[in-house]
Amino acid sequence: MLTLCAASTAVWADASHLEVLDDHGQALVSLPMPEGERWCMEWNHSVTGIRVQDCYRHHQGNMVLERSHQPDFAAGLGHVPGRGRQVSDGQGGYWIEDIDEPVPGNRYRLRVGSARVDHRLLHEGRRISLSELAAGERVTIHLRTPDSTP
């Protein structure tokens, strides 16, 4: 298991963690994730290879999808009217801002892509490649809070 800790009093005051769990419930990654903390899931689009990001925050005990970056209108990508607002990233792509959708149960399932897709977790300047840990496997991304169930 990869465990990364930050030396911060906020980390110790809030026992919340972002976990990546394998199909057997074993933690592959566990990151302290106190209230207000943000992280992104980044990957290369399986058809075009462009880099896509979904960014989340820990808000009042909930995993909330905050924004999404899409450098192109590739297959399966695009802004859905009424779900956030689309703004230019200044480089030909766009951000969908203000999505602010709680993720049901503070977790979602992901089939981790190959090295070409390279699903990676971004947090505090670090990139953790889930594809190196579990390519082709199903994992659960879970914000575990003191009040959540396993």
Side-chain angles (χ1 to χ4, degrees), residues 50-114:
I50 62 173
R51 187 181 59 185
V52 180
Q53 283 186 5
D54 283 339
C55 298
Y56 302 85
R57 78 176 179 280
H58 177 180
H59 179 68
Q60 299 179 350
N62 294 300
M63 178 191 295
V64 176
L65 176 60
E66 186 172 51
R67 61 197 300 230
S68 182
H69 183 255
Q70 302 172 6
D72 186 311
F73 288 99
L77 301 179
H79 176 239
V80 176
R83 184 176 184 251
R85 59 186 174 82
Q86 181 177 320
V87 297
S88 172
D89 68 0
Q91 300 175 0
Y94 60 96
W95 281 98
I96 301 172
E97 299 280 0
D98 302 324
I99 298 172
D100 297 327
E101 284 181 0
V103 175
N106 282 345
R107 68 184 81 202
Y108 64 92
R109 302 277 290 166
L110 171 71
R111 181 169 299 278
V112 179
S114 68

Side-chain angles (χ1 to χ4, degrees), residues 2-5 11 15-20 29-34 39 121-123 126 128 142-144:
L2 174 66
T3 303
L4 301 172
C5 296
V11 169
S16 299
H17 281 76
L18 182 68
E19 297 178 333
V20 179
V29 176
S30 182
L31 301 170
M33 199 59 61
W39 69 94
L121 187 60
L122 310 180
H123 180 253
R126 292 185 297 256
I128 302 165
H142 182 202
L143 176 63
R144 188 180 304 273

